Amino acid sequence: MQEGKGGSPHDSGPHLHAHSAITTGQMRTIGQRRREAEEKLDQHLQEAHHRSHPDEGNPEQDNNPE
């Protein structure tokens, strides 16, 4: 099997080499996707924290009824 010019069978697009510059629109898209991913990660981390410490966010709940 030859892999010289064909490359990976999963590779479907043109290659960006180190000397190729991306466009402003591509940079904006990358920035937007990064911000969205960071927001989603923050949301998941907050949800995980609330699941592991459910009593911290609700001060009126008393876990020591005496």
Side-chain angles (χ1 to χ4, degrees), residues 29-46:
T29 301
I30 291 168
Q32 180 181 3
R33 289 181 181 172
R34 180 178 179 174
R35 281 188 299 276
E36 290 171 355
E38 288 175 348
E39 290 171 4
K40 189 174 182 179
L41 175 62
D42 286 340
Q43 181 180 358
H44 283 272
L45 290 173
Q46 289 175 4

Side-chain angles (χ1 to χ4, degrees), residues 1-7:
M1 227 165 125
Q2 285 184 340
E3 299 225 7
K5 289 187 178 183

